[in-house]
Amino acid sequence: MTALRLTTVTGEALRPHLADVARLRIAVFREWPYLYDGDAAYEERYLGRYATAPGAAIVLAFDGDRAVGASTCLPLAEEGEAVQAPFRAAGWDLGRVFYFGESVLLPEYRGRGAGVGFFVEREAHARRFPGIDTAAFCAVMRDPADPRRPAGYVPLDAFWRRRGYVPAPDLVCTMSWKEIGAAEETPHELAFWLKRLPPEAA
């Protein structure tokens, strides 16, 4: 079994990879708990901001030359209003926070360290920016009794806690997307998890 290669890419160098990241998002987010019915054209427009937003980066996981996973991040001040809103309402300085967006990895490559690597690489990237002291990400909130929940599904909460993240109950945002089988987009609530980022050692 070959080791996966992780590479952090920024700026215009991201553009050749955006179609791969779009493909991965569509494939992985079809799974529970997102059930996202994705569209390639929308995905590439959405992802294009990572090539232009100051401080943005995508960590790519490769098996040989094939992209099999991706993980995004950018300063919260560069994110959209939906993600910023709960922080503004709670009185946060947006300049302190780096937002970790999606992490997507094809199922056959899970359990090989990429998930940990995504966090390590994004945290290292975030620490390069003056004033950043917190990493944040959000995850969709689902009813555990939802009949669509797969048997044996294990949430990632324990994994996130091992990485040092804790839930922030007062920070919840709303995003809309079209679920599989739905005719139109519907709103979904996502809860935030936070981690303090100590400065890099001198």
Side-chain angles (χ1 to χ4, degrees):
M1 184 181 293
T2 58
L4 297 181
R5 173 172 57 90
L6 299 187
T7 302
T8 300
V9 186
T10 61
E12 289 298 315
L14 277 168
R15 291 205 183 274
H17 301 288
L18 295 183
D20 282 335
V21 180
R23 168 182 56 82
L24 290 165
R25 275 177 44 95
I26 289 170
V28 173
F29 283 146
R30 284 186 71 85
E31 302 172 14
W32 176 268
Y34 288 89
L35 303 176
Y36 171 55
D37 186 5
D39 170 81
Y42 165 80
E43 286 293 316
E44 291 197 51
R45 290 194 303 273
Y46 161 78
L47 292 166
R49 66 195 175 128
Y50 285 98
T52 58
I58 299 180
V59 184
L60 297 163
F62 290 96
D63 179 5
D65 293 329
R66 180 191 179 212
V68 299
S71 191
T72 64
C73 63
L74 78 172
L76 181 60
E78 298 296 330
E79 247 298 341
E81 178 59 26
V83 175
Q84 293 179 355
F87 289 87
R88 292 186 193 278
W92 278 74
D93 173 2
L94 301 188
R96 294 175 46 199
V97 184
F98 225 82
Y99 175 63
F100 292 177
E102 50 275 296
S103 284
V104 289
L105 186 67
L106 295 178
E108 61 268 33
Y109 292 95
R110 295 170 192 169
R112 293 168 58 176
V116 171
F118 284 155
F119 275 106
V120 170
E121 294 297 321
R122 290 184 298 177
E123 289 171 14
H125 179 76
R127 286 191 180 101
R128 299 188 183 106
F129 294 84
I132 295 293
D133 63 14
T134 303
F137 69 87
C138 58
V140 67
M141 302 164 66
R142 292 289 195 183
D143 181 353
D146 191 312
R148 298 170 299 177
R149 178 184 170 112
Y153 172 76
V154 178
L156 291 172
D157 298 35
F159 169 73
W160 295 331
R161 289 181 186 278
R162 287 195 298 272
R163 300 304 316 156
Y165 290 81
V166 295
D170 59 327
L171 297 175
V172 176
C173 72
T174 301
M175 299 184 191
S176 295
W177 63 83
K178 188 161 78 77
E179 292 189 355
I180 297 167
E184 57 188 24
E185 292 187 351
T186 54
H188 301 79
E189 288 193 331
L190 297 92
F192 280 89
W193 292 64
L194 306 178
K195 178 180 178 178
R196 293 279 293 175
L197 293 179
E200 286 186 301

